[in-house]
Amino acid sequence: MIIFNKKLLVLLIAILSLGLFLAACGGGDNEEETGGEEANGGEETGSEEGSSDGEFEEQEWRFVTEELQGEVQYEYAAEFANRIEEKTGGAITVEPLEYGALGSEVDQAQLLQQGGVELAVMSPGFTGGQVQDGQIFSLHYFFPADPELTQKVLTESEALNTDLRAKYEEHSITPLSFWTEGAMAWTSNVGIESPSDWEGLNMRVQESPLMRESYDAYGATVQSLSWGELYTALDRETVDAQENPLFFIESASFHEVQDTITISNHNNYVAMTTVNTDWFNQRTDAEKQLIEETVAEMQDWVFEEQKRQNEAGLKAIEEDTDNPTEIIELTDEQIEEFKSVAEPVHEFYRNEVEGIDPDLFDKLKGEIEEIAGE
Ligand code: 6CS
């Protein structure tokens, strides 16, 4: 009797131990709850935990920018990272990367296209040779001079957010939004006040054939460079002039090696929030919605950020007595003179440049007229 009881006790202990062991190993049910590997586009997360309600798998995205910490693009990526982390309870983290971490602007664009990074802030000027229609942002006096109206066009335009987006997607780049970093100004040592002042100047441009055309019309020669090489080129006078928003002229110290800044209102700087197309298409519906909704919310945020930075940039240049810079504001008559040279380039672009979609041009022109005339 006693022997039987002992055997029973040993058996019970064995059954209990097995139960405890299975409970400790039991990951099968959890996997079903979190959606497993498949819901994460096939990526190993290294963890089964997600957001507090299990909606998002743990993952990390890399967000490369063309600017340094403190500048508009980098601060945009940092703000996007904060919002994503907060909305997903820390399940998704985003690493903002500054210019240079992964090469030049052209290298970064290629990296996004190959899926080496998930997100990038990209200036259309660096893929102008690939996505011909993206060159539309290089036309002078085409978008409204007022950055607020330009931001409205960039946010609302169907020609840009649907038609141009599709053109970029043929090259594995999905632009989720277009936004301005503010009005661009020209810097030089000669003081540009009329188109003829450009004659003989060597202008720095990005990788866009149309930028060449715009400056060629004024009589300048052009040279493509990454902005990281521009300070030295201006200092050594291998390049004579460049264009950028005021915050960037100040933070890259271009005003130190240039005598004048012309407030020309010829164009607003445009940047795009982009994602690798395949990567984005593989996201879950909840992830896509999270990204799109955050990008949409940030249109107003980035507009205020560039405004603040451009105002501070101008003030810093004016107060930099060690590096005095003459600031020339073009009069309405002077602007009309520039327009008379720049506007024929719009038609040349529409009708002559290979690979340009004239319908996209016409549609965007109509949308601009509608918004500017409101
Ligand atoms: O001039 C450029 O190329 C740089 N300018 C700005 C405002 N942002 C990044 C870009 O690479």
Side-chain angles (χ1 to χ4, degrees), residues 66-67 73 99 105 123 126 181 204 206 225-227 230 242-245 247-248 254 269:
E66 300 166 333
E67 295 176 7
Q73 289 189 10
Y99 167 80
E105 303 94 331
S123 304
F126 292 108
E181 293 191 57
R204 176 267 174 168
Q206 298 176 343
L225 278 184
S226 169
W227 79 255
L230 187 51
Q242 65 87 38
E243 60 180 0
N244 254 306
F247 86 86
F248 199 75
F254 297 148
Y269 195 98

Side-chain angles (χ1 to χ4, degrees), residues 13 22 31 65 75 111 138 153 184 251 272 306 373:
I13 290 170
L22 287 175
E31 190 151 325
T65 73
E75 292 310 308
L111 203 61
S138 321
V153 173
M184 283 195 282
S251 66
M272 311 182 286
Q306 64 77 29

